[in-house]
Amino acid sequence: MDGLDGNAIAGLLSDVFGAEMTTATGTCATCGAGGPLAETVVFLRAPGTVVRCRTCSGVMMVFVTVRETTCVDLRGLSNLGT
Ligand SMILES: [Zn+2]
């Protein structure tokens, strides 16, 4: 798999959450691993962006932008903190 890291979506994250999020800690709902969002594995697949856990490859976040509205699915995150 050929993914980017969370820094690739720093702009998207700050648009969605209104804050600098690459240093925020996300906890994977699948395996419980936690770490900075900058260390997640990111796949940019228009129209969606998929953020996966670096430990288990579980999907942590999905962003889909349609007509300038971004829908966010955070079901793969058990915790998100700064
Ligand atoms: Zn995981």
Side-chain angles (χ1 to χ4, degrees):
M1 295 209 295
D2 204 20
L4 303 167
D5 68 29
N7 293 305
I9 55 166
L12 173 66
L13 290 171
S14 68
D15 283 351
V16 170
F17 295 102
E20 166 59 47
M21 295 301 289
T22 53
T23 56
T25 299
T27 303
C28 174
T30 305
C31 73
L37 294 184
E39 294 181 7
T40 55
V41 184
V42 175
F43 297 89
L44 303 175
R45 291 200 186 114
T49 298
V50 179
V51 180
R52 288 181 178 271
C53 174
R54 193 169 286 278
T55 302
C56 73
S57 298
V59 175
M60 295 172 74
M61 296 187 282
V62 180
F63 301 90
V64 179
T65 302
V66 178
R67 295 195 190 98
E68 299 177 16
T69 299
T70 301
C71 299
V72 188
D73 184 342
L74 301 178
R75 276 177 294 180
L77 268 183
S78 65
N79 192 41
L80 180 64
T82 49

